[in-house]
């Protein structure tokens, strides 16, 4: 039995690496028209025929916890794709994190006084231990959330590319 690794072509629908492209003979207007029909029939979520960045079209690439948009561009009969994280929800999430730290410290200080653990004459004692355990994990939590979002958006984006290829009768490369 041979357990040596074999060279085999990479599957373009497998996560990791660059997004696959679609070879198609359709023009820009035909692509938009076919994908608009697919969107109206519920086969292409979040279709945008004219995204603000100048791409040919955009489609939803759902991520967890942050969604992305799959942007398509036609170059020489080849439809190429890229993912862009939608910024609204991450901005809201960052603002909530920033604005809940201090009230949490104040709440903890009041709780310690109510429980009789100290009399509240020196609130800085709470700040010394409470702020580090609430602020220091934020960069790692943020990095983890963004990585998880990119992975899940990449996976959904590849599924969407396969659906687009089917709508355009194109081949995935």
């Amino acid at each position: 039995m041979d357990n040596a690794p074999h060279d085999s072509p990479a599957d373009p629908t497998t996560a990791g690496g660059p997004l696959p492209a679609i070879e198609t003979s359709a023009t820009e207007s035909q692509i938009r028209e076919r994908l608009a029909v697919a969107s109206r029939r519920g086969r292409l979520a979040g279709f945008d025929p004219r995204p603000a960045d100048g791409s040919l079209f955009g489609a939803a690439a759902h991520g967890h916890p942050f969604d992305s948009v799959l942007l398509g561009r036609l170059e020489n009969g080849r439809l190429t794709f890229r993912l862009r994280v939608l910024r609204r929800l991450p901005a809201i999430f960052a603002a909530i994190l920033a604005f809940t730290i201090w009230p949490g410290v104040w709440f903890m200080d009041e709780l310690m006084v109510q429980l009789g653990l100290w009399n509240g004459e020196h609130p800085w004692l709470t700040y010394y231990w409470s702020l580090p355990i609430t602020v220091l994990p934020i960069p790692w939590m943020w990095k983890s959330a963004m990585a998880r979002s990119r992975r899940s958006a990449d996976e959904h984006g590849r599924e969407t590319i396969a659906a687009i290829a089917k709508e355009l009768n194109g081949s995935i490369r």
Side-chain angles (χ1 to χ4, degrees), residues 19 24 33 46 48 50 71 94 129 157:
L19 291 171
T24 182
E33 181 181 326
D48 180 4
R50 299 201 188 277
L71 299 167
W129 66 265

Side-chain angles (χ1 to χ4, degrees), residues 54-96:
S55 296
L56 178 60
F57 65 88
H62 301 294
H64 176 71
F66 309 125
D67 288 337
S68 295
V69 63
L70 177 71
L71 299 167
R73 187 177 298 271
L74 184 64
E75 298 167 357
N76 302 325
R78 187 175 176 98
L79 201 55
T80 58
F81 299 94
R82 68 184 178 91
L83 287 168
R84 187 187 68 198
V85 175
L86 296 174
R87 293 189 175 132
R88 180 181 296 162
L89 194 56
I92 292 169
F93 186 71
I96 289 171

Side-chain angles (χ1 to χ4, degrees), residues 2-11:
D2 183 16
N3 289 332
H6 298 284
D7 291 333
S8 61
D11 182 3

Side-chain angles (χ1 to χ4, degrees), residues 48-145:
D48 180 4
R50 299 201 188 277
D53 77 334
S55 296
L56 178 60
F57 65 88
H62 301 294
H64 176 71
F66 309 125
D67 288 337
S68 295
V69 63
L70 177 71
L71 299 167
R73 187 177 298 271
L74 184 64
E75 298 167 357
N76 302 325
R78 187 175 176 98
L79 201 55
T80 58
F81 299 94
R82 68 184 178 91
L83 287 168
R84 187 187 68 198
V85 175
L86 296 174
R87 293 189 175 132
R88 180 181 296 162
L89 194 56
I92 292 169
F93 186 71
I96 289 171
L97 278 175
F99 291 119
T100 57
I101 290 172
W102 188 253
V105 171
W106 179 81
F107 174 77
M108 186 56 63
D109 187 56
E110 290 297 316
L111 180 65
M112 298 302 267
V113 171
Q114 292 297 320
L115 292 175
L117 298 175
W118 55 64
N119 60 9
E121 291 176 11
H122 306 290
W124 53 269
L125 290 174
T126 305
Y127 309 157
Y128 278 145
W129 66 265
S130 183
L131 283 174
I133 65 172
T134 56
V135 174
L136 290 179
I138 289 176
W140 288 278
M141 183 178 66
W142 187 262
K143 183 179 177 183
S144 171

